[in-house]
Amino acid sequence: MDKIYDLIVLGAGPAGLTAGIYAGRSRLDVLILEKGQDGGQIAITEEIENYPGAMVEGESGPSLVARMTKQAEKFGAQRQSDVIKSVELEGDIKKLIGNKGTYLAKTVIIATGAFPKPIGCENEGKFVGKGISFCATCDANFFEDFEVFVVGGGDSAVEEAIYLSKFARKVTIIHRRDQLRAAKSIQEKAFANEKLHFLWDSVVVRADGEELLDTIVVKNVKTGELTEIHADEEDGLFGLFGFIGYNPNSALFEGKVEMERGYIVTDVDMRTNIPGVFAAGDIRAKSLRQVVTAAADGAIAATMAERYLEQ
Ligand code: NAP
């Protein structure tokens, strides 16, 4: 007969790994399932400035998450890499069906996170990886001494633009309004950075080039005016980075768990509307998506899963 875990955690970002740490410490038989690399979004975040205690010299998203992974393993959380294709969450035993096998558990914590929203311009798909990117940490070094454009005006866009300015010759933030949404402290850093420029009230409507991205068409949303921006002839290409928010990784749970605009609804104890099923981290409908809130959700969800099992 297939093994029945006390708890399966789906997703190994800060929420899932923290749930693994707490469940492991409580001696639950816990399995963490992850389809890719650990860390979720922080695996592609260069600088984590605001996670309490994360002031270690050279701390990055990947280094923080590597310690979380070690900690979960230390407390006995088991790991499996698999892509889950369907789930059956009703009843006492939950079933998760993946490419490599079927996993059974008495409780489940959904911590599948969110993924970056596309910029939404014409030809976007054609140039992803050929000039268009959603990860500064992964791709900044390709643009050493080149020109780079960043779409968005939130914390991610401005922080990543600052990071990109360590590599690129010039970084221009293209924002659809004339004011940034980013926290004031981040804005101050950006306005003081000489390599950073701003194109206000503008959106990118088209990407172009032969093989690599060398042209974008930008529309002024107030006047409707279209402007073509070409790469410097000597460069022959430039970078376009999108940081305009995230979409939740929740398609698997549609119609199975209560959701709000694609995010899973929970109570303050991370319970979903299905008994024994909890959600934690960016996948939840909530107002602040941060590493610290994801970790807190994971701790609560694992503790509540343990209480559910005791009952
Ligand atoms: P966000 O705060 O939702 O900002 C998205 C930005 O993209 C906004 O400026 C928005 O413009 C713009 N935008 C949205 N859709 C667009 C479209 N279709 N075309 C053009 N622009 C568009 O997203 P985020 O910056 O990724 O941050 C997500 C969460 O993570 C936030 O809670 C943020 O505070 C947090 N975060 C924190 C840190 C940190 O504290 N170190 C770092 C990264 C992220 P409008 O302003 O006009 O809406």
Side-chain angles (χ1 to χ4, degrees), residues 132-154:
I132 296 184
S133 168
F134 300 92
C135 174
T137 314
C138 320
D139 297 331
N141 58 337
F142 295 130
F143 296 99
E144 186 104 48
D145 287 331
F146 285 90
E147 193 172 350
V148 153
F149 295 85
V150 168
V151 180

Side-chain angles (χ1 to χ4, degrees), residues 152-155 157-158 173-184 187 191 198-202 221-222:
D155 288 345
V158 182
I173 292 183
I174 303 174
H175 184 35
R176 64 180 177 183
R177 292 186 294 134
D178 60 2
Q179 266 186 349
L180 296 172
R181 177 183 292 282
K184 284 285 177 285
Q187 290 195 28
F191 292 135
F198 297 86
L199 202 50
W200 303 111
D201 298 316
S202 299
V221 292
K222 285 193 173 151

Side-chain angles (χ1 to χ4, degrees), residues 161-197:
I162 294 169
Y163 174 68
L164 283 163
S165 74
K166 294 180 194 166
F167 299 80
R169 182 175 75 231
K170 178 181 175 190
V171 180
T172 304
I173 292 183
I174 303 174
H175 184 35
R176 64 180 177 183
R177 292 186 294 134
D178 60 2
Q179 266 186 349
L180 296 172
R181 177 183 292 282
K184 284 285 177 285
S185 60
I186 299 174
Q187 290 195 28
E188 278 163 18
K189 274 197 210 169
F191 292 135
N193 185 325
E194 284 179 359
K195 278 192 177 175
L196 247 63
H197 303 259

Side-chain angles (χ1 to χ4, degrees), residues 50 153-156 159 175-177 181 244-246 289-290:
N50 50 5
D155 288 345
S156 301
E159 280 199 334
H175 184 35
R176 64 180 177 183
R177 292 186 294 134
R181 177 183 292 282
I244 61 169
Y246 295 91
R289 294 192 173 81
Q290 296 278 288

